[in-house]
Structure formats: C-alpha cells, structure tokens
C-alpha cells in the first residue's frame, strides 16, 4: 500500500506541474488559447500539421495502429495489472478508478497540443519537441518552473520503473523460478513450509537482474 500511495502522490504532483506549465505556455507566452491557435494558423509550416490530407495523404493505417497499440498497452502492460489486480486491497476501489483513471489521462493530455504548438512557434519548426516542457520555461527565464517539470518527469519515470520491476519480478518468480524449484526433489520435500523469505529473496534478485539488464541494454 505504501508503494501505491507513493505512486498516486507522484501522479498528482506530476499532473499539477504539467497543468501549471500548460497555463504558463497558454497565458504567459500567449494571450489565451485562441491567440495560440491563431498564431499557429498564421505560420504555414505549423498550420500544415493541423490539416489532414493536404499536400500528402494522411497515414490512417499507421494512426489507427498506434492508437490501438496505446489502448492495449493501458490494459495489458505488467505494471497496469500489478496496480489494478495485485496491489488492489479492496474491489470497491475499482469503482473510483473506473472514472478517475480516464479523467487523469484526459487532463494530462489536454494541453499536449498547445504546448507542442507553443514550442514550434517559439523555437521554429524542426526544433526538438521532446524538450519543450523544459526549454520553453528556460528560454523565458523561469528556471523554477523548468526544475519542477524536470523533477516531475524524473519521478514519473522512476515510478514507472519501480512498478514495472516489481511486476516483472513477480512474473519471473511465479512463472519461471518457482515451477523449476518445485520440480526438484530436494526442494519439493520442504515446499509445504513457510516460503515467504525465499519468495522475497527471489523477487529481490529478479529486480536487481532486471535493472542490470535494462542498464546493459541502454
């Protein structure tokens, strides 16, 4: 429950920081949301990104495939199952999660397009869009806001790694290591006893191995 509370707190801070950054872009760098889109329409290179099927055919198949993949990842990623099922201590919590989780996804994605357009207008087309949440406040002299965005992004990535590592370590323990141990004659004789310490050791070693493999892959 402590891990879930920490991830939930981190998610709320991340949402508030992103909304603060969005408010700064929309009402600090520009007059309002309408002003932002009017300026975007006035720049042909940016306006072209808001139009479908003009100049070149729109990649409907790729768009549909990526959208479907994103929808499936929300349901089938190990960390989602870990939070929804394994860490769930009360089924009644699902009644709240059914509307809170989609609402959270809506709010945190609501200003992605305005921030992207603001970055393109401020730095010009072809600039690094991945860094707009940091570069926009830095370029405007708001280092504190950029630091807040960086810390929230770091905490979000860390939280994802924590939950994912715990989920995959549980899968490794339950589906790979324990079945092999139970097949051995020596271990099968003592399998009826308390295995809590052994299970924790296996999962902790699995977490360490997963993180080391991730670092090796990087």
């Amino acid at each position: 429950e402590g891990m879930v509370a920490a991830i939930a707190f981190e998610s709320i801070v991340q949402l508030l920081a992103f909304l603060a950054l969005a408010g700064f872009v929309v009402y600090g760098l520009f007059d309002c949301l309408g002003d932002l889109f009017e300026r975007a329409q006035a720049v042909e290179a940016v306006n072209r990104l808001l139009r479908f099927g003009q100049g070149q055919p729109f990649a409907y198949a790729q768009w549909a495939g990526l959208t479907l993949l994103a929808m499936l990842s929300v349901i089938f990623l190990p960390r989602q199952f870990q939070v929804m099922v394994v860490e769930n201590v009360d089924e009644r919590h699902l009644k709240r999660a059914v509307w809170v989780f989609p609402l959270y996804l809506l709010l945190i994605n609501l200003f992605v397009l305005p921030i992207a357009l603001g970055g393109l207008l401020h730095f010009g087309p072809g600039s690094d869009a991945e860094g707009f949440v940091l570069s926009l406040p830095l370029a405007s002299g708001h280092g504190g806001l950029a630091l807040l965005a960086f810390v929230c992004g770091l905490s979000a990535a860390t939280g994802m790694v924590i939950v994912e590592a715990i989920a995959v370590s549980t899968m490794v323990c339950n589906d790979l290591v324990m079945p092999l141990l139970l097949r051995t004659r020596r271990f099968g004789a003592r399998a009826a006893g308390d295995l809590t310490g052994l299970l924790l050791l296996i999962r902790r070693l699995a977490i360490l191995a997963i993180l080391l493999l991730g670092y090796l892959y990087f």
Side-chain angles (χ1 to χ4, degrees):
E1 294 184 29
M3 184 199 70
V4 175
I7 299 300
F9 178 76
E10 172 271 319
S11 299
I12 294 174
V13 173
Q14 179 188 1
L15 176 62
L16 293 178
F18 190 78
L19 292 178
L21 176 66
F24 163 73
V25 172
V26 174
Y27 298 103
L29 299 181
F30 301 91
D31 294 335
C32 61
L33 198 61
D35 176 53
L36 171 61
F37 277 92
E38 285 181 5
R39 296 194 189 185
Q41 291 177 347
V43 180
E44 177 59 27
V46 179
N47 187 22
R48 188 168 58 249
L49 300 174
L50 302 175
R51 300 196 303 262
F52 288 151
Q54 297 191 20
Q56 58 182 356
F58 183 70
Y60 286 101
Q62 182 184 11
W63 175 81
L66 289 174
T67 303
L68 178 63
L69 185 63
M71 292 168 59
L72 293 177
S73 69
V74 170
I75 301 174
F76 294 124
L77 279 175
R79 63 174 177 269
Q80 304 290 9
F81 183 83
Q82 179 76 18
V83 173
M84 287 191 300
V85 180
V86 179
E87 302 290 347
N88 186 9
V89 296
D90 192 339
E91 292 183 8
R92 291 174 296 180
H93 293 169
L94 293 175
K95 294 182 179 180
R96 184 182 299 117
V98 155
W99 63 269
V100 171
F101 185 49
L103 178 62
Y104 180 88
L105 292 179
L106 174 65
L107 291 176
I108 206 164
N109 285 283
L110 197 60
F111 290 98
V112 169
L113 187 58
I115 291 176
L117 292 177
L120 291 175
L121 290 174
H122 192 83
F123 298 108
S127 51
D128 180 23
E130 292 288 341
F132 282 168
V133 291
L134 298 177
S135 57
L136 278 173
L138 282 176
S140 304
H142 293 77
L145 186 59
L147 178 62
L148 178 63
F150 174 77
V151 171
C152 290
L154 179 63
S155 66
T158 305
M160 183 171 63
V161 170
I162 291 172
V163 179
E164 191 74 64
I166 293 175
V168 176
S169 69
T170 303
M171 296 165 64
V172 169
C173 176
N174 294 350
D175 300 326
L176 295 179
V177 179
M178 287 304 297
L180 291 175
L181 289 178
L182 290 172
R183 289 180 182 180
T184 62
R185 183 176 304 176
R186 181 179 178 182
F187 180 80
R190 53 185 288 258
D194 186 8
L195 301 177
T196 302
L198 177 64
L199 292 173
L200 287 175
L201 177 62
I202 294 173
R203 293 180 183 182
R204 286 166 179 166
L205 291 176
I207 289 173
L208 180 61
I210 290 165
L211 295 179
L212 290 175
L213 287 172
Y215 181 73
L216 179 63
Y217 177 80
F218 173 76

